[in-house]
């Protein structure tokens, strides 16, 4: 099993989706001080998972991960803004009028997601009728964009380390699992391969002249004498 298998591919795509949706939704709720429609959250999660699964065919580097994560995070922020305006209106409350008569409040999925986080940010749930915060100054959108990009780059670096660790773990597991089979295959090939080299036929040994032996020498070596 390699990193492009079905299970590792699904797990990687799910982790990527969870990270993108969590970062974008949490930051959007904190900045807008509104809950998110369930349908918008589900739509973004499904689209991000489909894109991540399609591109998870092999191990990806930091550039590829960051180049996908940051644009998806910004696109998810745009979708969440559109969903909040369609479901809650400009005043932060439920949409009234033609959209509600068409059942748009049913498509919004109830009270929304992230109401406790919106209350922590300082404003209650949109259904309470609290007004949206005042429009920011000219430099604030660029600051928010820099924050989004910085968080996305940090998340991409974390995902890259996890990608490398998972690939190394799968390679080590595959090597450990198939090592006995490789040894058995090597033994089988070694037993089947013919013995190469010249075969010496039995015959008369070459005559070697006998050397004189020290027959009159006596060995007197022993342990050393005490001092």
């Amino acid at each position: 099993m390699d990193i492009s298998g079905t299970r590792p591919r699904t797990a990687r795509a799910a982790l990527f989706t969870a990270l993108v949706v969590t970062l974008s939704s949490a930051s959007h709720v904190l900045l807008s001080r509104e809950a998110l429609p369930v349908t918008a959250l589900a739509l973004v999660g499904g689209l991000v998972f489909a894109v991540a699964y399609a591109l998870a065919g092999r191990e990806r580097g930091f550039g590829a991960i960051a180049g996908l994560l940051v644009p998806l995070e910004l696109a998810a922020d745009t979708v969440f803004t559109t969903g909040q305006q369609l479901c809650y209106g400009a005043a932060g409350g439920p949409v009234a009028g033609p959209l509600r008569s068409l059942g748009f409040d049913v498509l919004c999925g109830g009270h929304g997601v992230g109401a406790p986080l919106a209350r922590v940010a300082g404003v209650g749930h949109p259904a309470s009728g609290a007004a949206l915060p005042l429009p920011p100054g000219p430099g604030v959108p660029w600051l928010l964009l820099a924050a989004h990009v910085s968080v996305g780059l940090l998340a991409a670096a974390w995902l890259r380390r996890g990608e490398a660790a998972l690939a190394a773990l799968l390679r080590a597991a595959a090597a450990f699992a198939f090592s006995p089979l490789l040894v058995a295959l090597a033994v089988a090939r070694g037993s089947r391969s013919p013995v190469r080299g010249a075969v010496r036929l039995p015959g008369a040994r070459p005559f070697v002249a006998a050397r004189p032996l020290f027959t009159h020498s006596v060995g007197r070596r022993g342990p050393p004498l005490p001092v």
Side-chain angles (χ1 to χ4, degrees):
M1 180 184 297
D2 57 354
I3 200 171
S4 62
T6 303
R7 293 181 179 178
R9 190 172 183 176
T10 304
R12 291 161 56 215
L15 181 60
F16 182 87
T17 303
L19 191 60
V20 170
V21 173
T22 302
L23 290 177
S24 57
S25 61
S27 60
H28 191 84
V29 169
L30 286 175
L31 294 175
S32 65
R33 301 176 185 180
E34 288 188 37
L36 293 175
V38 178
T39 51
L41 197 65
L43 178 63
V44 169
L47 291 177
V48 172
F49 180 81
V51 173
Y53 187 84
L55 298 178
R58 60 183 179 87
E59 183 180 355
R60 299 292 179 177
F62 173 76
I65 296 175
L68 181 64
L69 191 146
V70 175
L72 285 178
E73 186 181 357
L74 297 177
D77 186 79
T78 305
V79 174
F80 291 153
T81 302
T82 305
Q84 284 176 338
Q85 292 178 356
L86 290 177
C87 290
Y88 304 137
V95 173
L99 290 179
R100 188 171 185 179
S101 63
L102 293 175
F104 207 89
D105 53 346
V106 178
L107 296 178
C108 291
H111 298 290
V113 178
L117 192 59
R119 286 194 293 269
V120 170
V123 177
H125 191 269
S128 63
L132 291 174
L134 296 176
V140 176
W142 295 102
L143 181 62
L144 297 180
L145 178 62
H148 272 291
V149 173
S150 301
V151 172
L153 292 178
L154 290 176
W158 183 77
L159 284 177
R160 171 56 195 156
R161 293 178 63 89
E163 186 97 340
L166 179 61
L169 180 62
L170 291 178
R171 285 193 295 265
F176 178 77
F178 289 101
S179 56
L181 297 178
L182 294 177
V183 172
L185 183 61
V187 172
R189 287 181 177 178
S191 62
R192 292 181 180 179
S193 60
V195 180
R196 297 181 179 180
V199 179
R200 303 183 64 180
L201 299 176
R205 296 182 178 179
F207 176 77
V208 179
R211 297 180 180 181
L213 300 177
F214 297 97
T215 55
H216 299 287
S217 62
V218 179
R220 296 187 180 277
R221 185 176 179 179
L225 297 177
V227 179

